[in-house]
Amino acid sequence: MKKILFALGLLSGISTVVAQAADSTITITGNVIDNTCRVSTASQDFTVDLQKYSTKRFFKQGSASEMVPFSLIFTSCGSAATGVRVGFNGVTLASDNTLLKNDAAVNAAGGMGIQILNADKNVIVVNQETNSIDWSPVNAGSPSTINFYARMVANDYPVTAGLVRATATMTLEFQ
């Protein structure tokens, strides 16, 4: 019993110490830069005419039409603009994420898709994650043009005659 009372006596002799911190200030800063461009009105809501081809042109799966060039023109690029990532989003074929699905509602060609290629004529994956798209340079303070190509590609054989049409939405990220 003496041991318990002695232990309680020691515990009651302990005082509680409260630590107080001095007032402090955290400064948070940032910087807004002008690194974007405007898309020229000529590069908004336009149609790329892929021309007319005979079904004989598409003699096997993977056969393609000629590449038709098109460009995106950027204006009013900010003083800090150095690059743009251009992605294309749309409905693709289940079997090939580089071919936009033919969405012609009436008189659609069978076995056809549309492919977009970059300026180096490399096929672009549709619906690609933005961070995996290469940067294209833009000129700060002046207009910039990014070139692309489009073409029809047979995704099945035999191809049947009709209209080929697809829609893609552009996604832009500026650096």
Side-chain angles (χ1 to χ4, degrees):
M1 181 78 139
K2 285 185 179 181
K3 289 182 183 180
I4 294 174
L5 289 177
F6 180 70
L8 287 175
L10 285 176
L11 287 176
S12 65
I14 298 174
S15 63
T16 304
V17 177
V18 177
Q20 293 184 350
D23 291 337
S24 61
T25 302
I26 297 173
T27 302
I28 301 170
T29 64
N31 190 10
V32 177
I33 60 173
D34 187 10
N35 70 332
T36 60
C37 302
R38 287 189 178 155
V39 178
S40 163
T41 53
S43 295
Q44 298 176 14
D45 302 320
F46 62 97
T47 300
V48 177
D49 184 357
L50 297 178
Q51 306 299 315
K52 294 179 184 179
Y53 291 92
S54 168
T55 55
K56 291 179 185 181
R57 169 77 182 221
F58 306 102
F59 58 92
K60 66 178 182 175
Q61 186 176 358
S63 299
S65 68
E66 295 295 321
M67 289 183 250
V68 176
F70 68 96
S71 300
L72 298 180
I73 301 167
F74 297 99
T75 61
S76 304
C77 292
S79 59
T82 59
V84 62
R85 286 179 170 163
V86 180
F88 294 92
N89 297 316
V91 178
T92 59
L93 298 172
S95 60
D96 190 340
N97 64 356
T98 67
L99 290 176
L100 290 163
K101 184 177 180 181
N102 185 2
D103 65 9
V106 179
N107 196 26
M112 298 296 294
I114 295 178
Q115 196 171 60
I116 301 172
L117 301 93
N118 66 17
D120 296 326
K121 300 181 180 176
N122 296 317
V123 175
I124 294 175
V125 175
V126 181
N127 303 319
Q128 189 173 9
E129 292 291 325
T130 306
N131 61 357
S132 62
I133 298 171
D134 292 333
W135 290 101
S136 296
V138 294
N139 303 313
S142 62
S144 296
T145 301
I146 310 294
N147 296 309
F148 296 95
Y149 297 90
R151 65 182 176 184
M152 293 182 279
V153 177
N155 67 298
D156 201 2
Y157 184 79
V159 168
T160 58
L163 180 63
V164 178
R165 185 186 78 191
T167 303
T169 303
M170 293 177 293
T171 303
L172 307 172
E173 180 182 349
F174 292 94
Q175 178 181 43

